[in-house]
Amino acid sequence: MKSLLHITNGDSFTSRLKSLDVKGDIITWREMLCEGKTLCNVGSESFWKTRFEFLNRNYKVSKSWFVEKTLKEYRSLCNHKQQDQIVLWFEYDLFCQINMLAVLSWLKTHRRHAEISLVCSGKEDETDRLYGLNELSDEKLFSLYKNKVTLTQDDIEFADYVWQLYCSDNPMRLENIITHDSFQFNYLSEALKVHLKRFPTIKNGLNELENKVLWTADNEKPQSKRELLGKLLTNQGYYGFGDTQYERIFTSLRPLFNSVNPIKLTKKGKEVLSNKMNYYSHMRDNQQYLGGSLKYNFLYNSSTDRILKL
């Protein structure tokens, strides 16, 4: 009998998987590597030190929480050496896809002989809707599990290569991956497209998400910050962000808002939104990384979908 390990995308799905009584041990990957600086060598001391510094500075994550939640679970993964079958459970969005790449990069180095499979939710019916794992019925989850994709060595090498590019100091090299065959990763190129749109645009110095916050505030006229965050969470396409991430974006844009109850933009906010004013110099922060690249060292040209180096 082959022994089995499941690696999931988060706590809520871990508890769901436990309730389904699927054979094997379960490890939860508790990270958000789509935000903040990342290093290639997943799991190294310098990797975790860099991650803790980012999470502590930007999300007030305490050392004890980080050790208890993230590092303990990672050490548990390190101690699971015997399993010859590993199943990854991830979703279509940027948040999940970047974590997935990191896990595969780690597995390539540390679990060379395991058979690695992927269960990835996204487009599950005839509609345009994209589904998270927890939104699917038990029956649908069992069906996805039964039809899981066994990754070849080439798939794993490719995932590791994309991870190295994500951690490099130049995001321009990822543009070639988007047009490239993504092997058996159906949602990766879409996720990378939205990643590149997180660099500031030439038009007004804000990225796609920051512009979306202003647009939603101005056009949908939410009555409170909570209502604004709710609207952003509901219509986010391939990002897959949580409320704390949108909260952080909102805080960085706070000077462009007159009031929070109801939500109202200032005159300057409206000028930035209509591309009459460039807000780049107010947003620039030399501590902000996306992967291995400094966010404000590059610009995104939305008319050509290309990245430019400053």
Side-chain angles (χ1 to χ4, degrees), residues 201-206 271-272 275-282:
T201 61
I202 291 172
K203 287 177 178 171
N204 66 2
L206 299 187
E271 285 175 352
V272 172
N275 301 326
K276 288 178 184 145
M277 179 189 174
N278 197 301
Y279 204 61
Y280 175 88
S281 60
H282 301 274

Side-chain angles (χ1 to χ4, degrees), residues 9 34 88-101 118-125 127-136 144 182 184-195 232-242 246:
N9 66 336
C34 61
L88 309 184
W89 296 80
F90 285 93
E91 294 170 11
Y92 61 89
D93 54 64
L94 175 69
F95 191 108
C96 262
Q97 293 287 301
I98 299 298
N99 282 341
M100 176 194 79
L101 292 175
L118 175 63
V119 179
C120 188
S121 70
K123 199 165 165 32
E124 303 304 335
D125 56 27
T127 69
D128 288 336
R129 190 177 159 192
L130 294 158
Y131 290 85
L133 290 165
N134 263 334
E135 296 175 293
L136 300 174
L144 279 180
S182 291
Q184 295 192 82
F185 305 107
N186 297 339
Y187 303 102
L188 185 57
S189 65
E190 287 302 327
L192 292 174
K193 272 182 202 170
V194 298
H195 163 59
L232 293 165
L233 285 165
T234 311
N235 308 310
Q236 53 172 332
Y238 277 90
Y239 283 101
F241 282 7
Y246 281 108

Side-chain angles (χ1 to χ4, degrees), residues 143-252:
S143 162
L144 279 180
Y145 182 44
K146 191 179 159 209
N147 299 306
K148 60 188 177 291
V149 174
T150 303
L151 299 177
T152 66
Q153 192 56 38
D154 283 349
D155 292 323
I156 294 161
E157 297 278 353
F158 175 69
D160 177 57
Y161 173 63
V162 180
W163 172 250
Q164 308 295 324
L165 292 186
Y166 181 79
C167 296
S168 79
D169 61 4
N170 187 350
M172 294 162 84
R173 292 161 70 199
L174 283 170
E175 289 176 336
N176 302 329
I177 297 296
I178 289 165
T179 53
H180 190 279
D181 167 23
S182 291
F183 289 77
Q184 295 192 82
F185 305 107
N186 297 339
Y187 303 102
L188 185 57
S189 65
E190 287 302 327
L192 292 174
K193 272 182 202 170
V194 298
H195 163 59
L196 295 180
K197 288 177 181 176
R198 294 191 296 163
F199 290 92
T201 61
I202 291 172
K203 287 177 178 171
N204 66 2
L206 299 187
N207 69 17
E208 183 179 68
L209 278 176
E210 291 152 358
N211 275 306
K212 181 125 190 259
V213 172
L214 296 190
W215 186 92
T216 306
D218 200 44
N219 287 272
E220 305 209 354
K221 313 228 175 323
Q223 293 305 297
S224 64
K225 185 169 85 171
R226 191 173 171 184
E227 193 187 326
L228 172 66
L229 294 178
K231 287 177 183 294
L232 293 165
L233 285 165
T234 311
N235 308 310
Q236 53 172 332
Y238 277 90
Y239 283 101
F241 282 7
D243 48 1
T244 50
Q245 290 167 291
Y246 281 108
E247 180 92 47
R248 182 167 164 246
I249 296 168
F250 179 81
T251 304
S252 70

